[in-house]
């Protein structure tokens, strides 16, 4: 089928105004901020309903057309939204941006994939709720995309599993079938009908002996297209206080953080190096970030909600102060801009690219005791390429009650400076290889990481290919990603 | 049921002659299963007898035995600690090896700092809890009690318990796992699969665990889980749970940073509101409705007799007529147990204050007699260790749990009156224990942070009295109809009854699930990982096109 015929058929599915082959528009999807090979898609299609998504997937199966789902606005960073196959259609879900339900009683919100953090948090706030979010997400970042990609969230005590707070999804699988995950998978295939019989899409487990939601998380859009998701909310805190604990060496903070996370004191808990703390509060030059010259800072947000909120904060503060004393540390009031960053979305210029215009990230999961060693590895690799260690932003986010830690390195660079681009690319490649060899767990293997990870893990590759064959037999969803 | 002696010999060559048997006396000890009489011909207590019992000692042996089974077409049913009749082989004349994992009973590692333990399938909750408590850590013990396998609840069956509200369901506490598929392949998941340790169950990329974990797991129907890592949680109590007092009502001292309460509600609406307020305020370490398993009419008499060393169960009837105990029964008619634990004295005092405010707001109250030191200490021991599961069988030696459809508190509240009325109606046969219509019990939440659970109606029947068994079966059938009448699906009773159904009947039922995607998916997973269909139907599947056949009928 030729391009023109495809365009007509696409317009028949999503509407004339919702298909674009404008070169400028296509170029916007042909590459991102990663080092992924640029490939221009043929069309961008913007479905408005789940039914249109399902029709689109059926059409793609019939015409062997690769589909690349995209929900968030630019800039994209990990190469997962850049087609790896030619003749692809970008499925831009940003127009599906309705908040379908805010269920205050059960603390559940149900959203479509185009709903962004900038839209969702104010709407929840009006209802006295919020969701735990990643650190300063892009304002145009799709909440569903963020959760599907298991971006780390800031409150480890609420993270009962890594996909949290994601609960139940409506998924159009690569086969074109449409089903619900979790508890939603056993009821009627209509949210309205489920609500009528008292189902609230709370439990992510199931249906039956599967956890289908876990097959769409970390999948980079290769298994199915999520057309709505339920997300667990929490009550909006009525009292808050934020502290910082500083140290010259990361090692000095490790035992303290182990204890803090074990006792589940506080809401937000994270470790930032000086560079990253400055970036978070938008200080691209000088210090003034409240780090007091320390290289490492633990940021701890205390919160009280429901009954006696201020007393809840006070008790946590006393427990925190006793704890820091035990470890020979100090907990100081955080500067207001640090406290504010825990609740905010990023400004118009995404904070990670604010200093130099671009930023390459390296991130993985590990345990806290191993984090200092991995920091040294990245610093050593950077030094080999004469990239200043002081330019590397480092962010460590406890997950799953602190059992695992997301460790993230940000390497800012000037995209117009070819030498700098090549240098950062070389660091990214060399550091990733060394980290994998040392046991860093790249649980979200984007781009070049996929080969590094799956070449060492034949079993996961084989099992995932089996699953892919079941849910996307014609391999039309984002082909070329992961081990597919 | 004659199988080649070659198969027996081949398995014997792997595990050694002392760890395989086809001696009928041994085989029947595996076939003898709780609830069997509800589904077996002639009210037999025996499920189908396994062809042989094999006791492997390692993952390699499990894999070896599995490969032999594939060669000879012998079905495989692993069992660790077992619970319910589905732990046994499903069908007569369908040669099945019962893979008894009791030799795989080691705690392989406790990583105190990173808070996880790596265990084999016959490590029971009590065993691991005792070890980790010495380190100030604790585990989520599932509702079935401390004698259950951690691997089973984390990998292959329901993972909810009284601590799930604060610690998470064991399906969420599951980290790395090792799985021998029915085809004999060893699959490791998450960070373990990448050679990075046991700390994470997700990825790389999509999570392989998603194909078998689910709500109730595969229940031995899709291979054998040989190891797993489980997340540990902080324990601010004693290093050792030292029992106090004479048996059977052992007590556990309540540390000053703990509070142990039984909370009563004036009606079900207040009860629901109280649950929501507890979730919203994030208080509570143990949250469970336990004691009502004895029935709302008799619970007070039973437990107050149980903890009195001078009395026996023969005294319960007299106690139940005591006006003072009847008053307690009324106070505790709609009740649950809540244990608070604080990291500091300040914290526990504040939690107490919050709880008082919740009770004032909702009209709920502390059941005074159950909060007195003797009963509170008994409650503390009962709930912290969950070692009293024999009490489930206390009335006449058998019980069956009906209902337990899970949902939000409001969802449960919607069906509870019907569950109570139905049980009251069925007790009029005088063939079931007449303990009051409400013998419902269950977790405060089976998922971390609250918001989701079901209540199970404890129907006590005499498993050695055919009339009582028949009455129980009638109740099960009635409960299914009752559930449908209030717009909820059938509950646990249907799951139990299905064990006695033919494949065709099960497929007919499965084909009525509104979203067939999941059945088609599981069938394809079955084809891929169990090509010779050696696992049983506890991992549900349906022949292609069966739905249409059923619809045509």
């Amino acid at each position: 089928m030729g391009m023109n015929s495809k365009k007509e058929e696409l317009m028949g599915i999503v509407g004339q105004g919702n298909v674009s082959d404008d070169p400028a528009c296509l170029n916007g999807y042909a590459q991102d901020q990663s080092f992924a090979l640029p490939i221009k898609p043929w069309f961008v299609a913007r479905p408005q309903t789940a039914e249109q998504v399902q029709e689109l997937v059926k059409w793609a199966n019939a015409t062997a057309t690769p589909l690349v789902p995209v929900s968030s606005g630019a800039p994209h960073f990990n190469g997962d939204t850049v087609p790896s196959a030619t003749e692809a259609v970008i499925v831009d879900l940003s127009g599906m941006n309705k908040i379908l339900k805010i269920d205050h009683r059960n603390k559940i919100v149900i959203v479509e994939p185009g709903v962004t953090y900038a839209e969702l948090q104010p709407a929840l706030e009006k209802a006295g709720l919020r969701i735990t979010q990643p650190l300063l997400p892009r304002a145009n970042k799709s909440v569903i995309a963020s959760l599907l990609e298991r971006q780390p969230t800031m409150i480890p005590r609420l993270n009962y599993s890594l996909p949290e707070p994601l609960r139940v999804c409506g998924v159009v699988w690569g086969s074109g079938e449409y089903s619900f995950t979790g508890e939603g998978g056993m009821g009627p295939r209509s949210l309205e009908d489920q609500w009528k019989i008292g189902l609230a899409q709370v439990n992510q487990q199931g249906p039956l002996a599967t956890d289908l939601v876990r097959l769409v998380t970390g999948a980079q859009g290769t298994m199915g297209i999520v057309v709505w998701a339920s997300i667990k909310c929490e009550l909006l805190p009525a009292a808050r206080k934020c502290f910082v604990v500083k140290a010259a060496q990361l090692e000095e903070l490790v035992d303290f953080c182990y204890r803090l996370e074990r006792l589940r004191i506080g809401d937000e808990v994270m470790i930032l190096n000086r560079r990253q703390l400055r970036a978070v509060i938008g200080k691209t030059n000088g210090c003034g970030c409240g780090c007091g010259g320390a290289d490492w800072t633990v940021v701890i947000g205390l919160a009280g909600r429901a009954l006696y909120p201020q007393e809840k904060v006070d008790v946590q503060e006393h427990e925190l102060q006793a704890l820091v004393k035990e470890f020979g540390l100090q907990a100081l009031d955080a500067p207001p801009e640090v406290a504010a960053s825990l609740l905010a979305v990023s400004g118009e210029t995404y904070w990670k690219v604010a200093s130099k215009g671009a930023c390459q990230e390296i991130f993985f999961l590990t345990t806290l005791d191993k984090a200092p060693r991995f920091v040294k590895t990245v610093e050593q690799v950077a030094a080999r390429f004469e990239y200043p260690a002081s330019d590397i932003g480092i962010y460590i986010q406890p997950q799953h009650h602190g059992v695992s830690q997301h460790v993230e390195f940000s390497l800012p660079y000037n995209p117009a400076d070819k030498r700098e681009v090549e240098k950062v690319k070389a660091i990214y490649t060399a550091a990733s290889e060394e980290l994998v060899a040392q046991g860093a767990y790249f649980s979200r293997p984007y781009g070049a990481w996929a080969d590094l990870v799956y070449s060492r893990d034949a079993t996961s590759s084989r099992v995932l290919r089996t699953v892919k064959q079941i849910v996307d037999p014609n391999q039309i969803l984002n082909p070329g990603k992961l081990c597919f | 049921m004659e199988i080649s002696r070659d198969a027996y010999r081949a398995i014997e060559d792997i595990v050694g002659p002392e760890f395989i048997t086809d001696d009928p006396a041994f085989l029947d000890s595996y076939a003898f299963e709780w609830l069997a009489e509800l589904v077996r011909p002639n009210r037999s207590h025996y499920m189908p007898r396994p062809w042989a019992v094999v006791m492997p000692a390692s993952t390699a042996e499990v894999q070896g035995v599995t490969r032999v089974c594939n060669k000879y077409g012998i079905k495989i049913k692993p069992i660790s600690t077992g619970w319910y009749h589905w732990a046994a082989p499903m069908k007569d004349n369908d040669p099945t090896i019962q893979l008894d994992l009791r030799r795989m009973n080691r705690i392989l590692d406790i990583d105190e700092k990173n808070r996880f333990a790596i265990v084999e399938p016959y490590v029971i909750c009590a065993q691991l809890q005792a070890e980790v408590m010495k380190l100030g850590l604790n585990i989520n013990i599932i509702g079935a009690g401390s004698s259950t396998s951690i691997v089973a609840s984390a990998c292959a069956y329901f993972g909810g318990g009284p601590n799930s509200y604060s610690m998470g369901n064991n399906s969420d506490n599951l980290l790395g796992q090792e799985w021998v598929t029915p085809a004999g392949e060893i699959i490791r998941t998450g960070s373990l699969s990448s050679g990075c340790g046991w700390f994470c169950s997700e990825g790389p990329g999509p999570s392989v665990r998603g194909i078998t974990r689910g709500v109730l797991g595969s229940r031995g129907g899709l291979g054998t889980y040989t190891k797993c890592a489980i997340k540990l949680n902080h324990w601010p109590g004693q290093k050792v749970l030292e029992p106090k007092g004479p048996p059977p009502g052992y007590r556990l001292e309540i540390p000053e940073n703990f509070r142990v309460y039984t909370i009563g509600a004036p009606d079900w609406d207040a009860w629901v509101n109280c649950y929501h307020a507890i979730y919203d305020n994030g208080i509570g370490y143990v949250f469970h409705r336990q004691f009502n398993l004895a029935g709302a009419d008799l619970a007070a008499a039973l437990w107050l007799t149980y903890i009195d060393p001078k009395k026996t169960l023969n005294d319960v009837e007299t106690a139940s007529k005591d006006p003072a105990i009847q008053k307690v029964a009324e106070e505790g008619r709609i009740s649950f147990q809540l244990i608070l634990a604080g990291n500091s004295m300040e914290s526990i005092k504040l939690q107490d204050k919050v709880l008082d405010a919740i009770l004032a707001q909702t009209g709920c109250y502390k059941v005074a007699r159950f909060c007195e030191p003797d009963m509170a200490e008994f409650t503390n021991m009962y709930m912290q260790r969950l070692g009293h599961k024999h009490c489930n069988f206390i009335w006449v030696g058998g019980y069956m749990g009906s209902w337990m459809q899970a949902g939000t508190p409001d969802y449960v509240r919607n069906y509870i009156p019907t569950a109570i009325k139905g049980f009251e109606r069925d007790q009029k046969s005088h063939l079931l224990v007449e303990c009051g219509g409400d013998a419902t019990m269950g977790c405060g939440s089976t998922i971390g942070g609250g918001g989701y659970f079901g209540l199970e109606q404890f129907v006590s029947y005499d498993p050695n009295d055919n009339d009582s068994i028949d009455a129980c079966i009638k109740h099960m059938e009635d409960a299914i109809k009752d559930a449908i009448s209030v717009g909820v699906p059938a509950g646990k009773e249907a799951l139990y009854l299905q064990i006695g159904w033919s494949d065709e009947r099960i497929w007919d039922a499965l084909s009525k699930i509104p979203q067939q995607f999941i059945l088609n998916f599981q069938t394809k997973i079955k084809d891929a990982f169990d090509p010779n269909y050696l696992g049983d139907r506890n991992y549900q599947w349906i022949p292609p096109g069966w739905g249409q056949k059923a619809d045509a009928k």
Side-chain angles (χ1 to χ4, degrees), chain A residues 105 107 150 180 184 187 209 211 214 255 258 262 264 307 311-312 318-319 401 441 443 454 457 460 462, chain B residues 113-115 135-136 166 185 193 202-205 207 210 212 231 280-281 344 346 353 410 515 522:
Chain A
R105 178 114 162 133
K107 314 291 175 292
R150 297 197 299 260
F180 296 178
D211 289 322
R214 285 183 149 94
D255 286 344
Y258 266 126
R262 172 170 163 164
R264 298 193 204 169
L307 295 160
E311 287 178 53
K312 285 174 182 163
H318 294 163
E319 290 180 344
H401 293 161
Y441 178 45
S443 67
Y454 291 116
D457 189 353
S460 285
R462 199 191 64 70
Chain B
K113 276 198 165 175
N114 294 308
R115 272 182 292 119
L135 306 171
S166 64
E185 185 182 10
S193 187
E202 308 297 338
S207 302
T212 61
K231 178 169 71 71
D280 288 350
N281 283 279
S344 64
E346 253 189 306
K353 186 170 162 181
D410 291 315
Q515 299 182 53
Q522 289 197 183

Side-chain angles (χ1 to χ4, degrees), chain B residues 385-446:
Chain B
R385 188 151 65 189
L386 275 190
H388 289 75
K389 297 316 286 185
H390 55 283
C391 293
N392 289 16
F393 303 88
I394 201 163
W395 287 134
V396 281
Y399 87 94
M400 181 285 309
S402 55
W403 295 84
M404 212 189 185
Q405 294 84 340
T408 64
D410 291 315
Y411 182 83
V412 175
R413 189 251 173 276
N414 175 50
Y415 69 69
I416 279 294
T418 307
I420 293 171
K421 273 185 203 155
F423 192 22
E424 275 169 357
R425 174 197 62 217
D426 293 340
Q427 283 174 24
K428 286 178 186 159
S429 66
H430 306 301
L431 293 165
L432 303 171
V433 171
E434 295 172 63
C435 57
D438 178 10
T440 61
M441 58 85 69
C443 301
S445 174
T446 53

Side-chain angles (χ1 to χ4, degrees), chain B residues 77-269:
Chain B
K77 190 61 183 281
I79 182 172
S80 44
T81 45
W83 190 249
Y84 301 126
H85 50 340
W86 57 59
M90 291 280 176
K91 295 180 187 172
D92 297 300
N93 306 315
D94 200 3
T96 304
I97 274 186
Q98 187 99 58
L99 211 54
D100 180 348
L101 302 169
R102 73 181 58 221
R103 291 173 69 211
M104 300 175 70
N105 61 356
R106 292 172 302 162
I107 297 172
L108 298 172
D109 188 28
I110 296 173
D111 185 334
E112 181 185 358
K113 276 198 165 175
N114 294 308
R115 272 182 292 119
F116 62 82
I118 306 166
V119 293
E120 292 187 322
Y122 206 72
V123 171
I124 64 167
C125 293
Q127 182 186 352
L128 183 62
Q129 187 190 53
E131 294 304 321
V132 301
M133 274 188 170
K134 293 173 193 167
L135 306 171
L137 294 167
N138 200 359
I139 56 168
N140 169 52
I141 298 178
I142 61 161
S146 59
S147 59
T148 57
S149 156
I150 304 276
V151 168
S153 65
C155 302
Y157 187 52
F158 183 64
N163 283 108
S164 293
Y165 159 68
S166 64
M167 297 181 187
N169 186 294
N170 278 353
S171 71
D172 285 336
N173 296 328
L174 172 65
L175 304 172
Q177 63 178 342
E178 186 180 81
W179 170 39
V180 179
T181 69
E185 185 182 10
I186 297 173
I187 291 177
R188 299 180 178 93
T189 60
S191 52
L192 184 63
S193 187
S194 286
C196 302
W198 292 82
F199 65 95
C200 179
S201 73
E202 308 297 338
S207 302
V208 167
R209 54 165 287 176
I211 63 176
T212 61
R213 185 35 273 194
V215 185
L216 293 182
S218 52
R219 291 183 288 152
L222 196 69
T224 308
Y225 294 92
T226 47
K227 293 184 189 78
C228 83
I230 191 88
K231 178 169 71 71
L232 305 173
N233 297 274
H234 185 59
W235 163 245
Q238 303 97 319
K239 301 281 184 209
V240 176
L241 298 185
E242 198 68 58
K244 180 179 160 186
Y250 296 112
R251 301 174 200 169
L252 177 65
E253 217 158 83
I254 300 170
E256 61 176 1
N257 57 326
F258 279 67
R259 301 287 185 273
V260 180
Y261 298 122
T262 290
I263 307 294
D267 54 50
W268 288 105
D269 288 332

Side-chain angles (χ1 to χ4, degrees), chain A residues 235-258:
Chain A
L235 285 175
L236 198 63
R240 299 188 74 247
K241 196 163 183 186
C242 188
F243 290 89
V244 289
V245 176
K246 304 166 193 170
Q249 304 290 329
L250 175 58
E251 288 84 343
E252 294 170 48
L253 296 171
V254 167
D255 286 344
F256 162 70
C257 285
Y258 266 126

